[in-house]
Structures are given as C-alpha cells and as structure tokens.
C-alpha cells in the first residue's frame, strides 16, 4: 500500500519496500493465518454464530462481512489517482490482454482443473467452476498495492471486470455448466444465476467504496492539496484496509468453520486445483506482461487481477443457487482459504521478480 510504510511502485527496490514495511504489513501472512484459525475456531465452537452472522444480509452476503469488505476497499480506492485513469484505458496491450486472461483463459483453465481433479464430485466441481467465473473486484486491490503494482491500472481493470461480471457471469455459467460439458460428452449441471444478485454485489462492494474513494481524493486535494492528501491523510487511512481484510477473513471462516473442520479430505481435494490455478494463472500473467514489455507495475497488476477471484460473489451465488450447506458453497469457502495465503506469498514473489527481472522505472512525479 502506498502509505507511510510502503513506498510507491516506482521507488526503490525490493529491499527498500520490505525494509519500510510496518509491523502490521511485515507480518501480514501471520495475521492472515491467525484470522483464518480464529474464524475456524469461532465457527466450530460457538453455537449459533452462523445464524447470528447470517441474520442480516446485504444482498446475499452477511451484513458484518459486507461492512468488512467496504472497510477493506475504501482506503485502497481513496489512494487511486483518478486523473491518471486515461493513460490506462489508452494502453490497448494491457486492456486486451487482461480481458483475454480474465474472461477466456482463466475460466477455461478452472473448468479443466475441476474436471481433472474432481470428476467424481459434481457439487465441488460446480463450485470450483463458479469460483473461476467470479473475477476479482475486491481483495486484488490490496495484493496489487502490497506488491507495488500500478494502482490506477488496477482500479480501471477492476471496474471493467465488474461490468463484464454483470453482463457475462450468467451466460458463462450456462456455457461452462451446460453447453461445454454437453459438447464434450460430460454430465451437465443446471444453475439459475440471478442477474440482479450479481449486479447488487458489484454495485455494493465496488460501487460504494469507489464513489467514496473518488470523493475523498477530489475533496481532500481541493481543500488541502495533493502533498497533504498523500503524505499526511493517506498514511492514517491506509491501515484500515488491512483491518477490514483481517475482520472479513475471520468472519468468512467463522461462517463455514464447522463444515471445513468436519470434511478435511474434501477440503484437500478442492484445495489442490485451486492451488494450481492461482500459481499458474499468476505466473502466466507475469510472463505475458514481461513478454509484452508492460513494465513491472502493470505486469504485476495484470497478474493479480487475472489470478484473484471474487470469492464473496462466488459464495453468494453458490449459497443462493444451491443452498448454504451445499458442496458448491463449501467449494466457494475453500476459495479464500487457499487464495489468501497463496496470493500473499505471491506478493513477495512479485517483489523478488521485480528486483531480478525488471528494469527499475524512473522516479514518479
């Protein structure tokens, strides 16, 4: 994150970045694992917690989780320099590559992995395919920021993914669950995706913090200037993104703690294709970006936006379509169980790759 503790993507090397991390940021994997364990324990040992968390919802998502997601997203989007968005849109190589990775290659790859790893478990297989269709619009902003990716590019690509998600999710679900399996002589799955549920998810979890972030920067810079906004205001606001992240992770795992701990072998079978998916898609994004000479910041953003998934939408769709205790819902919950620690590790991998394989960019102005 570009706060007092994390420099901008164009300043210094990996050692400078890691050396200036705050205690919270430096031990982020530890805090995330602790939040996951705490959530599992809470969900397993506190009777009625799931019912309480699900009592009030925003769309199909628990209200406490919705609050956590909004708190997580707002500081990241308040850091975006919105006046730089035009340069991202003008980068046709980045835009076209991102669309192909996100909406053609990544869903197809998840479909293949689901059938290769769990052909005998149709509920989990369907859940994995749904996860592959839900492109990331939330946590990817944090991973991109921590890896010193291009913040403006991430905001634009996330916005584009959101629009495509509303338009294409239902059609792609129909294609990958019914049409393509039928063409390949495989069993099909019937699923009715709610257009309005997907639209509401995008508007709530991206639209609200995006508007708040834009207004905060616009008003803050107009009142106090950019130097004050970025050097004094943002360092105070920045840590709240990680607080929101840890809070959200804790609640997500609390909701399915009992299910996860009671089916460890099932979790392992779901986890393996997810692990392969995140590593391969991220690696492909980095290699493609390097080959296209996009530079480190945009390459990292391309890789993270392709590898990350919108697990809150995947979980909401799985629960709304198949039920809270379904195998599809469990597959959705295992998504962040694997995604969060793997993508945190990939943040450090990206910083290492910057030092080894990318030419340093000139100082930002």
């Amino acid at each position: 994150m570009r706060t007092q503790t994390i420099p901008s993507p164009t300043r210094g090397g990996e050692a400078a970045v890691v050396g200036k991390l705050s205690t919270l940021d430096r031990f982020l994997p530890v805090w995330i694992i602790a939040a996951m364990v705490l959530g599992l324990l809470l969900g397993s040992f506190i009777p009625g917690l799931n019912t309480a968390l699900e009592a009030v919802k925003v769309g199909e998502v628990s209200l406490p989780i919705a609050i956590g997601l909004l708190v997580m997203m707002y500081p990241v989007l308040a850091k975006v320099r919105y006046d730089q968005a035009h340069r991202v849109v003008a980068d046709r190589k980045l835009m076209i590559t991102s669309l192909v990775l996100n909406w053609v290659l990544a869903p197809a790859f998840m479909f293949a992995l689901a059938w290769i790893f769990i052909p005998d478990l149709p509920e989990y297989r369907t859940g994995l395919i749904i996860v592959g269709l839900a492109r990331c619009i939330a946590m990817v902003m944090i991973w991109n920021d921590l890896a010193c990716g291009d913040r403006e590019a991430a905001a634009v690509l996330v916005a584009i993914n959101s629009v495509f998600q509303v338009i294409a999710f239902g059609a792609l679900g129909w294609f990958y669950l019914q049409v393509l399996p039928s063409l390949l002589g495989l069993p099909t799955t019937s699923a009715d995706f709610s257009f309005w549920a997907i639209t509401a998810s995008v508007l709530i979890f991206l639209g609200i913090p995006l508007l708040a972030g834009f207004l905060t920067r616009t008003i803050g810079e107009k009142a106090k200037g950019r130097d004050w906004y970025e050097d004094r205001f943002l360092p105070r606001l920045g840590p709240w993104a990680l607080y929101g992240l840890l809070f959200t992770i804790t609640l997500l795992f609390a909701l399915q703690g009992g299910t996860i701990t009671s089916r460890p072998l099932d979790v392992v079978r779901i986890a393996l294709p997810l692990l392969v998916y995140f590593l391969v898609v991220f690696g492909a994004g980095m290699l493609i970006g390097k080959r296209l000479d996009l530079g480190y910041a945009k390459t990292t953003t391309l890789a993270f936006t392709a590898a990350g998934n919108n697990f809150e939408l995947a979980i909401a769709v799985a629960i709304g379509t198949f039920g809270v205790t379904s195998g599809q819902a469990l597959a959705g919950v295992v998504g962040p169980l694997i995604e969060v620690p793997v993508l945190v590790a990939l943040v450090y991998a990206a910083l290492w790759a910057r030092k080894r394989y990318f030419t340093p960019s000139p100082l930002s102005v």
Side-chain angles (χ1 to χ4, degrees):
M1 295 181 180
R2 192 177 185 276
T3 68
Q4 192 174 22
T5 58
I6 302 180
S8 68
T10 55
R11 295 177 183 172
E14 178 190 4
V17 173
V18 176
K20 293 184 180 181
L21 291 174
S22 68
T23 300
L24 177 66
D25 296 326
R26 188 174 300 159
F27 294 100
L28 180 60
V30 176
W31 310 138
I32 286 177
I33 292 172
M36 292 162 61
V37 172
L38 176 61
L40 291 173
L41 292 175
L42 290 174
S44 300
F45 297 108
I46 299 182
L49 180 61
N50 287 14
T51 303
L53 289 175
E54 290 282 6
V56 181
K57 293 185 176 182
V58 175
E60 291 295 331
V61 178
S62 163
L63 178 60
I65 291 179
I67 293 172
L69 289 169
L70 293 175
V71 171
M72 178 186 75
M73 288 287 288
Y74 165 61
V76 177
L77 290 168
K79 296 174 186 177
V80 173
R81 291 182 175 180
Y82 293 93
D83 57 353
Q84 298 296 313
H86 66 278
R87 69 172 177 80
V88 180
V89 176
D91 191 336
R92 297 182 64 183
K93 283 196 299 185
L94 175 65
M95 301 292 287
I96 294 173
T97 305
S98 177
L99 288 174
V100 171
L101 273 175
N102 272 284
W103 295 101
V104 179
L105 300 182
F109 185 51
M110 183 68 90
F111 173 85
L113 290 174
W115 276 99
I116 291 170
F117 280 87
I118 46 177
D120 56 325
L121 299 171
E123 289 191 0
Y124 298 153
R125 186 178 65 238
T126 298
L128 281 179
I129 292 171
I130 291 174
V131 169
L133 296 178
R135 313 313 304 159
C136 197
I137 65 170
M139 283 190 182
V140 69
M141 300 291 292
I142 287 186
W143 313 138
N144 180 73
D145 237 20
L146 288 171
C148 298
D150 188 313
R151 189 175 296 135
E152 288 71 37
V156 172
L157 295 181
V158 162
I160 291 173
N161 278 347
S162 300
V163 173
F164 268 80
Q165 207 145 238
V166 172
I167 297 172
F169 190 95
L172 287 174
W174 169 72
F175 176 76
Y176 280 107
L177 295 177
Q178 295 188 11
V179 176
L180 186 57
S182 179
L183 292 174
L184 297 174
L186 301 171
T188 60
T189 302
S190 178
D192 182 20
F193 299 111
S194 169
F195 171 83
W196 296 114
I198 297 170
T199 303
S201 176
V202 172
L203 290 177
I204 291 169
F205 299 120
L206 178 66
I208 292 176
L210 180 62
L211 178 61
F214 173 78
L215 292 176
T216 301
R217 176 172 279 277
T218 301
I219 295 171
E221 286 191 356
K222 193 170 184 179
K224 296 282 190 175
R226 174 162 288 185
D227 289 341
W228 173 89
Y229 184 83
E230 295 191 346
D231 296 336
R232 299 186 62 182
F233 177 73
L234 287 182
R236 296 181 181 179
L237 181 65
W240 282 95
L242 293 184
Y243 300 151
L245 171 67
L246 297 176
F247 177 76
T248 302
I249 290 171
T250 300
L251 292 185
L252 278 171
F253 285 92
L255 277 170
Q256 292 282 344
T259 305
I260 291 173
T261 55
S262 65
R263 304 185 198 173
L265 294 180
D266 288 355
V267 170
V268 171
R269 291 200 64 183
I270 297 169
L272 287 175
L274 284 168
L275 179 62
V276 174
Y277 172 85
F278 293 132
L279 294 177
V280 171
V281 174
F282 179 84
M286 292 294 287
L287 289 173
I288 292 171
K290 173 67 175 174
R291 187 67 180 268
L292 293 176
D293 198 25
L294 295 178
Y296 171 79
K298 287 184 178 180
T299 295
T300 300
T301 299
L302 175 69
F304 275 109
T305 52
N309 290 88
N310 186 355
F311 61 80
E312 61 271 18
L313 175 60
I315 293 170
V317 169
I319 291 174
T321 305
F322 301 101
V324 70
T325 60
S326 65
Q328 291 89 343
L330 176 61
V333 172
V334 174
L337 176 68
I338 304 305
E339 177 177 349
V340 170
V342 169
L343 291 192
V344 169
L346 289 175
V347 167
Y348 291 91
L351 292 172
W352 171 83
R354 177 175 69 168
K355 181 179 180 181
R356 188 175 180 90
Y357 296 111
F358 290 86
T359 303
S361 303
L363 291 177
S364 60
V365 293

